[in-house]
Amino acid sequence: MSDVLIALQGICKSFDGKAVLRGLDLEVRRAETFTILGGSGSGKSVSLKLMIGLLRADAGRVLVKGRDVTQLPERDWVALRGDFGMVFQGAALFDSLSILENVAYPLREHSDLGEAEIRARVAEKLALVGLEGIEAQLPAELSGGMRKRVAVARAVAFDPEIILYDEPTAGLDPANNRRIGELIASLQARLGVTSVVVTHDLSLCFALSDRIGLLDDGRLVQVGSPEELRGQPGAEAREFFAGSEIAGA
Protein backbone atom coordinates (compact mmCIF):
# COMPACT_ATOMS: atom_id res chain seq x y z
CA MET A 1 0.00 0.00 0.00
CA SER A 2 1.34 3.44 -0.93
CA ASP A 3 2.22 5.68 2.00
CA VAL A 4 0.80 8.68 0.07
CA LEU A 5 -2.69 9.26 1.44
CA ILE A 6 -3.56 12.53 -0.32
CA ALA A 7 -2.06 13.96 -3.51
CA LEU A 8 -2.75 17.22 -5.31
CA GLN A 9 -1.27 17.18 -8.81
CA GLY A 10 -0.95 20.29 -10.95
CA ILE A 11 -3.85 22.01 -9.18
CA CYS A 12 -5.02 25.36 -10.50
CA LYS A 13 -7.79 27.37 -8.86
CA SER A 14 -8.99 30.91 -9.54
CA PHE A 15 -11.69 33.09 -8.02
CA ASP A 16 -13.24 35.94 -10.04
CA GLY A 17 -10.40 35.69 -12.51
CA LYS A 18 -7.67 35.86 -9.86
CA ALA A 19 -5.37 32.83 -9.74
CA VAL A 20 -4.84 31.50 -6.21
CA LEU A 21 -3.24 28.11 -6.95
CA ARG A 22 -0.98 27.86 -10.00
CA GLY A 23 -0.04 24.22 -10.56
CA LEU A 24 0.16 23.08 -6.93
CA ASP A 25 1.80 19.68 -6.34
CA LEU A 26 1.50 18.25 -2.83
CA GLU A 27 1.67 14.83 -1.17
CA VAL A 28 0.58 13.91 2.34
CA ARG A 29 1.92 10.64 3.73
CA ARG A 30 0.06 8.21 5.93
CA ALA A 31 0.23 8.94 9.69
CA GLU A 32 2.27 12.14 9.36
CA THR A 33 1.53 15.71 10.37
CA PHE A 34 1.97 17.79 7.24
CA THR A 35 1.75 21.56 7.66
CA ILE A 36 0.99 23.97 4.83
CA LEU A 37 2.66 27.22 5.78
CA GLY A 38 2.06 30.52 4.03
CA GLY A 39 0.87 34.08 4.28
CA SER A 40 -2.69 35.33 4.21
CA GLY A 41 -4.35 34.78 0.84
CA SER A 42 -1.72 32.28 -0.31
CA GLY A 43 -4.27 29.51 -0.91
CA LYS A 44 -3.71 27.41 2.22
CA SER A 45 -7.39 27.03 3.13
CA VAL A 46 -8.31 26.53 -0.52
CA SER A 47 -5.94 23.55 -0.59
CA LEU A 48 -7.72 21.95 2.38
CA LYS A 49 -11.15 22.46 0.82
CA LEU A 50 -9.95 20.81 -2.39
CA MET A 51 -8.80 17.77 -0.40
CA ILE A 52 -12.24 17.27 1.09
CA GLY A 53 -14.28 18.16 -1.99
CA LEU A 54 -15.71 21.45 -0.70
CA LEU A 55 -14.12 23.12 -3.72
CA ARG A 56 -13.37 21.77 -7.19
CA ALA A 57 -10.13 22.43 -9.06
CA ASP A 58 -10.11 24.30 -12.36
CA ALA A 59 -7.31 22.01 -13.52
CA GLY A 60 -5.22 19.18 -12.10
CA ARG A 61 -6.05 16.06 -10.09
CA VAL A 62 -6.97 15.27 -6.49
CA LEU A 63 -6.24 11.74 -5.25
CA VAL A 64 -7.33 10.30 -1.89
CA LYS A 65 -5.84 6.90 -0.97
CA GLY A 66 -4.90 6.41 -4.61
CA ARG A 67 -8.41 7.13 -5.91
CA ASP A 68 -8.89 9.99 -8.36
CA VAL A 69 -11.68 12.07 -6.81
CA THR A 70 -11.27 15.15 -9.01
CA GLN A 71 -14.66 14.74 -10.68
CA LEU A 72 -16.33 12.70 -7.94
CA PRO A 73 -20.08 13.46 -7.73
CA GLU A 74 -21.24 15.11 -4.50
CA ARG A 75 -23.30 12.05 -3.52
CA ASP A 76 -20.10 9.97 -3.51
CA TRP A 77 -18.19 12.64 -1.57
CA VAL A 78 -20.71 12.30 1.28
CA ALA A 79 -19.47 8.76 1.96
CA LEU A 80 -15.79 9.59 1.38
CA ARG A 81 -15.89 12.47 3.87
CA GLY A 82 -16.39 9.89 6.60
CA ASP A 83 -12.62 9.34 6.31
CA PHE A 84 -12.05 13.02 7.16
CA GLY A 85 -12.54 15.24 10.16
CA MET A 86 -12.19 18.99 9.68
CA VAL A 87 -11.56 21.71 12.23
CA PHE A 88 -12.71 24.93 10.60
CA GLN A 89 -11.16 28.32 11.22
CA GLY A 90 -13.09 29.99 14.03
CA ALA A 91 -14.40 26.57 15.24
CA ALA A 92 -17.73 27.02 13.34
CA LEU A 93 -19.89 25.78 16.20
CA PHE A 94 -23.68 26.23 16.14
CA ASP A 95 -24.33 29.01 18.67
CA SER A 96 -27.89 27.89 19.44
CA LEU A 97 -26.96 24.25 20.12
CA SER A 98 -25.47 22.81 23.28
CA ILE A 99 -21.99 21.32 23.23
CA LEU A 100 -23.60 17.88 23.24
CA GLU A 101 -25.62 18.72 20.13
CA ASN A 102 -22.64 20.34 18.39
CA VAL A 103 -20.41 17.29 18.80
CA ALA A 104 -23.31 14.92 18.09
CA TYR A 105 -24.33 16.74 14.91
CA PRO A 106 -22.33 14.63 12.40
CA LEU A 107 -23.34 11.45 14.22
CA ARG A 108 -27.03 12.31 14.00
CA GLU A 109 -26.72 13.29 10.33
CA HIS A 110 -24.57 10.43 9.07
CA SER A 111 -24.87 7.43 11.39
CA ASP A 112 -27.46 5.00 12.70
CA LEU A 113 -26.28 5.19 16.31
CA GLY A 114 -28.92 5.24 19.01
CA GLU A 115 -29.25 8.08 21.50
CA ALA A 116 -27.37 6.32 24.29
CA GLU A 117 -24.52 5.46 21.89
CA ILE A 118 -24.36 9.05 20.63
CA ARG A 119 -24.18 10.45 24.16
CA ALA A 120 -21.46 7.96 25.06
CA ARG A 121 -19.47 8.85 21.92
CA VAL A 122 -19.78 12.59 22.65
CA ALA A 123 -18.60 12.08 26.24
CA GLU A 124 -15.65 10.01 24.99
CA LYS A 125 -14.54 12.64 22.48
CA LEU A 126 -14.93 15.53 24.92
CA ALA A 127 -12.79 13.60 27.41
CA LEU A 128 -10.22 13.09 24.66
CA VAL A 129 -9.79 16.88 24.35
CA GLY A 130 -9.91 17.47 28.11
CA LEU A 131 -13.45 18.86 28.34
CA GLU A 132 -15.37 16.33 30.40
CA GLY A 133 -18.84 17.22 31.62
CA ILE A 134 -19.59 20.34 29.55
CA GLU A 135 -22.30 18.80 27.35
CA ALA A 136 -25.08 21.10 28.62
CA GLN A 137 -23.19 24.35 28.04
CA LEU A 138 -23.53 26.65 25.02
CA PRO A 139 -20.58 27.81 22.88
CA ALA A 140 -20.96 31.39 24.16
CA GLU A 141 -20.20 30.14 27.69
CA LEU A 142 -16.78 28.82 26.66
CA SER A 143 -13.44 30.51 26.05
CA GLY A 144 -12.00 30.67 22.55
CA GLY A 145 -9.57 27.87 23.34
CA MET A 146 -12.34 25.65 24.69
CA ARG A 147 -14.46 26.25 21.58
CA LYS A 148 -11.53 25.15 19.42
CA ARG A 149 -11.23 21.96 21.47
CA VAL A 150 -14.96 21.29 21.06
CA ALA A 151 -14.45 21.69 17.31
CA VAL A 152 -11.68 19.08 17.49
CA ALA A 153 -13.99 16.73 19.45
CA ARG A 154 -16.61 17.10 16.72
CA ALA A 155 -14.00 16.47 14.01
CA VAL A 156 -12.96 13.15 15.59
CA ALA A 157 -16.52 12.01 16.41
CA PHE A 158 -16.49 9.62 13.43
CA ASP A 159 -13.00 8.26 14.19
CA PRO A 160 -11.61 9.65 10.91
CA GLU A 161 -8.39 8.55 9.28
CA ILE A 162 -7.47 12.11 8.27
CA ILE A 163 -7.92 15.34 10.25
CA LEU A 164 -7.70 18.71 8.51
CA TYR A 165 -7.01 21.79 10.66
CA ASP A 166 -7.67 25.24 9.16
CA GLU A 167 -5.75 27.87 11.17
CA PRO A 168 -6.41 26.04 14.46
CA THR A 169 -4.76 28.72 16.64
CA ALA A 170 -6.15 31.82 14.92
CA GLY A 171 -7.33 34.39 17.46
CA LEU A 172 -5.95 32.53 20.49
CA ASP A 173 -3.53 33.79 23.13
CA PRO A 174 -0.07 32.18 23.45
CA ALA A 175 -1.16 29.80 26.23
CA ASN A 176 -4.07 28.47 24.18
CA ASN A 177 -1.86 28.36 21.07
CA ARG A 178 0.42 25.98 22.93
CA ARG A 179 -2.50 23.95 24.30
CA ILE A 180 -4.00 23.44 20.84
CA GLY A 181 -0.62 22.45 19.42
CA GLU A 182 -0.15 19.91 22.20
CA LEU A 183 -3.66 18.55 21.55
CA ILE A 184 -2.96 18.07 17.82
CA ALA A 185 0.28 16.23 18.63
CA SER A 186 -1.46 14.11 21.29
CA LEU A 187 -4.24 13.05 18.93
CA GLN A 188 -1.67 12.20 16.28
CA ALA A 189 0.16 9.92 18.70
CA ARG A 190 -2.90 8.35 20.37
CA LEU A 191 -5.12 7.85 17.33
CA GLY A 192 -2.50 7.27 14.61
CA VAL A 193 -4.29 9.66 12.27
CA THR A 194 -2.91 11.65 9.37
CA SER A 195 -3.03 15.39 10.08
CA VAL A 196 -2.91 18.29 7.63
CA VAL A 197 -2.51 21.67 9.30
CA VAL A 198 -2.89 25.02 7.58
CA THR A 199 -1.28 27.91 9.43
CA HIS A 200 0.88 31.01 9.30
CA ASP A 201 1.88 30.41 12.95
CA LEU A 202 5.58 29.54 12.87
CA SER A 203 5.80 28.33 16.46
CA LEU A 204 2.90 25.90 15.95
CA CYS A 205 4.28 24.75 12.62
CA PHE A 206 7.78 23.93 13.87
CA ALA A 207 6.52 22.36 17.10
CA LEU A 208 4.30 19.67 15.62
CA SER A 209 5.13 19.03 11.96
CA ASP A 210 6.80 15.99 10.48
CA ARG A 211 7.05 17.87 7.18
CA ILE A 212 6.31 21.43 6.14
CA GLY A 213 5.32 22.78 2.73
CA LEU A 214 5.79 26.52 2.16
CA LEU A 215 3.12 27.89 -0.16
CA ASP A 216 4.00 30.99 -2.17
CA ASP A 217 2.50 32.36 -5.37
CA GLY A 218 0.19 29.37 -5.73
CA ARG A 219 2.86 26.65 -5.50
CA LEU A 220 4.86 24.81 -2.86
CA VAL A 221 8.28 26.42 -3.09
CA GLN A 222 9.95 24.25 -0.44
CA VAL A 223 9.01 21.00 1.31
CA GLY A 224 10.98 19.40 4.11
CA SER A 225 11.28 18.56 7.76
CA PRO A 226 11.42 21.37 10.33
CA GLU A 227 15.16 20.76 10.62
CA GLU A 228 15.61 21.08 6.85
CA LEU A 229 13.66 24.34 6.66
CA ARG A 230 15.60 25.76 9.61
CA GLY A 231 18.98 24.61 8.33
CA GLN A 232 18.60 25.15 4.59
CA PRO A 233 15.79 27.61 3.93
CA GLY A 234 15.28 28.70 0.35
CA ALA A 235 14.94 32.35 -0.61
CA GLU A 236 11.16 32.37 -0.08
CA ALA A 237 11.50 30.67 3.32
CA ARG A 238 14.16 33.14 4.45
CA GLU A 239 11.86 36.00 3.50
CA PHE A 240 8.88 34.39 5.26
CA PHE A 241 10.92 33.72 8.44
CA ALA A 242 12.49 37.22 8.48
CA GLY A 243 12.22 38.84 11.90
CA SER A 244 10.96 35.65 13.59
CA GLU A 245 12.66 33.48 16.20
CA ILE A 246 13.07 30.89 13.44
CA ALA A 247 15.28 33.29 11.50
CA GLY A 248 17.59 33.66 14.46
CA ALA A 249 17.67 29.98 15.40
Side-chain angles (χ1 to χ4, degrees), residues 47-142:
S47 302
L48 280 193
K49 291 174 182 176
L50 288 162
M51 292 178 190
I52 200 171
L54 297 178
L55 289 173
R56 298 299 178 102
D58 299 331
R61 296 202 308 162
V62 179
L63 290 89
V64 177
K65 296 194 284 189
R67 178 184 181 186
D68 189 337
V69 298
T70 314
Q71 301 299 329
L72 195 68
E74 178 60 26
R75 64 180 179 275
D76 295 331
W77 262 114
V78 171
L80 184 58
R81 288 190 188 114
D83 292 337
F84 289 87
M86 185 159 182
V87 179
F88 292 92
Q89 188 172 349
L93 301 179
F94 298 106
D95 293 337
S96 61
L97 298 183
S98 69
I99 300 308
L100 169 66
E101 295 302 327
N102 266 284
V103 179
Y105 186 83
L107 299 173
R108 296 196 193 285
E109 290 291 308
H110 303 295
S111 81
D112 297 323
L113 294 177
E115 185 61 25
E117 293 172 295
I118 287 175
R119 288 178 176 272
R121 179 77 67 89
V122 170
E124 173 195 342
K125 301 310 179 186
L126 287 173
L128 193 64
V129 300
L131 292 175
E132 298 92 335
I134 67 163
E135 285 90 335
Q137 293 184 250
L138 293 170
E141 299 176 89
L142 306 181

Side-chain angles (χ1 to χ4, degrees), residues 28-44:
V28 180
R29 298 169 186 163
R30 190 176 303 275
E32 77 170 341
T33 298
F34 185 92
T35 298
I36 304 173
L37 186 65
S40 298
S42 61
K44 303 186 302 298

Side-chain angles (χ1 to χ4, degrees), residues 185-233:
S186 172
L187 291 176
Q188 179 75 14
R190 293 170 67 180
L191 303 180
V193 294
T194 298
S195 301
V196 185
V197 181
V198 151
T199 190
H200 61 271
D201 183 334
L202 289 174
S203 60
L204 176 75
C205 173
F206 278 85
L208 61 82
S209 304
D210 293 307
R211 291 191 305 137
I212 301 165
L214 179 61
L215 189 59
D216 184 68
D217 196 29
R219 300 181 180 88
L220 287 186
V221 293
Q222 188 168 359
V223 178
S225 68
E227 294 75 21
E228 288 169 336
L229 263 73
R230 283 179 188 272
Q232 296 180 308

Side-chain angles (χ1 to χ4, degrees), residues 172-187:
L172 299 182
D173 59 50
N176 275 309
N177 270 22
R178 185 175 61 255
R179 189 172 292 120
I180 292 297
E182 290 170 352
L183 175 59
I184 294 171
S186 172
L187 291 176

Side-chain angles (χ1 to χ4, degrees), residues 235-246:
E236 296 90 348
R238 285 196 299 272
E239 182 178 350
F240 191 79
F241 299 157
S244 71
E245 294 181 3
I246 301 301

